[in-house]
Amino acid sequence: MADDGRVVEQQLGRTVAQLQAVGDAAEPLWRSIRAATTATYAAFVVSGLAFASWASRIPQLRDQLRLDPSTLGLVLLSVSAGCVAALPLSGPVVARFGSRRTVAASGLLFGAGLATVAVGSLAGVAPVVVGLVVLGFATGAWDVAMNLQGTALERHLRRSIMSRFHAGFSVGSVAGALIGTAMVALHVPVAAHLAAVAVVVPVVVSIAARRFVADRDRAARATHPRRALAAWAERRTLLIGFFVLAFTFAEGAGTDWIGVATIDGHHAAASLATLAFAAFLAAMTLGRWFGPGFLDRYGRVPVVRALAVTACAGTALFVFAPTAPLAFVGTLLWGVGISLGFPVGMSAAAEDPESAAGRVSVISSIGYCAFLAGPPTIGFLGTHVTVLRALVAVAVLLAVAAVFSAVVAPRRSDRS
């Protein structure tokens, strides 16, 4: 009996030692994942801050270069051109070099573009256009790469977190706008402001990117670029892209037209229109921050379907509300309703690590095209039926998205 007791004791001792070894080995991995999560938040926040810093100085740049509205519109189109050009190419690039290198390189490229814009604010339109194309290209590649890192972290953590990264982007955008406002109030020259941001952004982004976790394995390295391009022929990927399109169209239309529609359509004061726009952004940010808990508890499809219906109802309420206060409620429902569409689309696209880069690139391309095309489409429709009534198009797209929201359901296998 004593011998049996010693044997059991020795076995227990070995088991405890093995468990301790596993725990000791897991601790460094857990620390690296936590560090990568913080770094990814930083990448999203800085991305929003950097872009909002530039956008906040557009009026002063216009005045310095004496641009009329049509010329300014063409100049601003340079950003869209760069971004749209980058998005389809980003999948193969990220597949080849990984999100860590791509984000770091994009930060440097963004800084170079912004510095060129800073010089152009003093020298003329041509450098500004060149700088904005570079800036837009860097933004597109940066976006795909940091979203891919976010999906890699979701796999490690085994819980939904992508929408919180997007909330970080929103927070960064607000911070960039506030800093820009302060720079204007303090009469800081456009060139000095943008040049400072151009120096800070690459430094912060390169430091953050060093802590990213690997989003691909060595064995898949050679096949990734081909699979990245092949994603454009996958039915499910394209359907998810269309699902995301509805939400990004709604976001772009709301961002650009809520203020105008509140003033012209509901005859509200400019201050209330600004408050309605702020409420829209705040509701979207809060939805992205608190959304993961609902996604983990109830699943993607029920949550995004309910939110699509909510956003559809909110948009319809905003358009047809008999009073301005009810329209204000509509903006809140609209904002919270569209909060998770894009992040959930990213998560659904990246379930298979080997195909993630290409699929995220495809869906980002479709989503951003809708984000950029949405506002002009509403403007075109608005010339015929008023801007307020044109926003019915947003509700229609969201209703369609609600119908086929099952495309974002998690899959155990990777058949496309």
Side-chain angles (χ1 to χ4, degrees):
M1 292 294 292
D3 291 340
D4 291 342
R6 282 196 295 273
V7 170
V8 171
E9 186 177 344
Q10 290 171 355
Q11 289 176 339
L12 286 174
R14 284 195 294 270
T15 301
V16 170
Q18 290 171 350
L19 290 174
Q20 185 175 0
V22 171
D24 292 342
E27 181 59 26
L29 175 61
W30 177 242
R31 283 201 300 267
S32 69
I33 292 172
R34 284 188 297 181
T37 302
T38 302
T40 305
Y41 275 120
F44 273 84
V45 170
V46 173
S47 178
L49 185 147
F51 198 84
S53 296
W54 135 249
S56 68
R57 301 310 298 263
I58 291 174
Q60 291 75 46
L61 185 70
R62 176 201 61 188
D63 294 342
Q64 286 183 207
L65 299 179
R66 299 177 182 177
L67 303 177
D68 58 47
S70 60
T71 305
L72 178 62
L74 291 174
V75 169
L76 297 179
L77 190 61
S78 304
V79 181
S80 301
C83 187
V84 170
L87 287 169
L89 301 175
S90 298
V93 170
V94 178
R96 175 66 180 84
F97 298 104
S99 59
R100 180 186 295 119
R101 292 182 181 178
T102 305
V103 167
S106 297
L108 288 170
L109 196 60
F110 188 100
L114 195 59
T116 305
V117 174
V119 172
S121 68
L122 302 174
V125 175
V128 170
V129 171
V130 172
L132 290 179
V133 171
V134 173
L135 185 152
F137 192 92
T139 299
W142 186 344
D143 183 83
V144 171
M146 68 183 180
N147 272 289
L148 188 63
Q149 178 66 196
T151 60
L153 288 168
E154 280 195 324
R155 289 193 296 272
H156 283 293
L157 295 169
R158 299 181 182 274
R159 60 188 176 89
S160 301
I161 193 173
M162 177 63 76
S163 66
R164 288 189 176 175
F165 293 137
H166 285 260
F169 179 89
S170 300
V171 170
S173 299
V174 173
L178 291 175
I179 292 172
T181 302
M183 295 296 101
V184 173
L186 295 171
H187 305 290
V188 175
V190 173
H193 175 198
L194 298 187
V197 176
V199 171
V200 172
V201 166
V203 173
V204 175
V205 172
S206 62
I207 292 173
R210 292 174 188 171
R211 300 187 176 186
F212 282 8
V213 296
D215 46 36
R216 60 197 177 94
D217 56 50
R218 294 180 181 179
R221 212 173 269 178
T223 60
H224 264 226
R226 291 194 294 274
R227 298 192 71 166
L229 292 174
W232 284 96
E234 295 173 352
R235 179 176 176 273
R236 178 176 181 262
T237 299
L238 295 176
L239 286 174
I240 295 173
F242 184 78
F243 172 84
V244 167
L245 178 150
F247 288 88
T248 54
F249 185 96
E251 182 178 346
T255 299
D256 282 24
W257 291 111
I258 279 179
V260 173
T262 301
I263 295 171
D264 295 349
H266 291 291
H267 310 291
S271 58
L272 182 59
T274 303
L275 186 61
F277 173 60
F280 171 77
L281 293 179
M284 186 166 57
T285 302
L286 290 173
R288 286 175 172 173
W289 185 258
F290 291 104
F294 292 95
L295 291 171
D296 289 335
R297 183 171 182 178
Y298 300 108
R300 289 179 193 162
V301 175
V303 171
V304 295
R305 183 173 290 155
L307 288 179
V309 171
T310 299
C312 181
T315 307
L317 179 60
F318 177 78
V319 173
F320 297 108
T323 63
L326 275 178
F328 184 87
V329 174
T331 64
L332 293 173
L333 296 176
W334 182 352
V336 74
I338 65 171
S339 61
L340 298 184
F342 191 91
V344 167
M346 295 294 100
S347 298
E351 289 170 351
D352 174 23
E354 290 190 10
S355 302
R359 291 171 180 170
V360 168
S361 174
V362 169
I363 292 170
S364 293
S365 300
I366 295 172
Y368 272 93
C369 283
F371 184 83
L372 297 170
T377 302
I378 297 299
F380 173 77
L381 294 174
T383 61
H384 297 85
V385 296
T386 75
V387 168
L388 185 63
R389 293 293 184 262
L391 291 171
V392 170
V394 173
V396 172
L397 272 177
L398 290 168
V400 175
V403 171
F404 67 90
S405 55
V407 295
V408 299
R411 297 191 309 174
R412 294 185 180 276
S413 62
D414 188 49
R415 297 182 301 272
S416 300

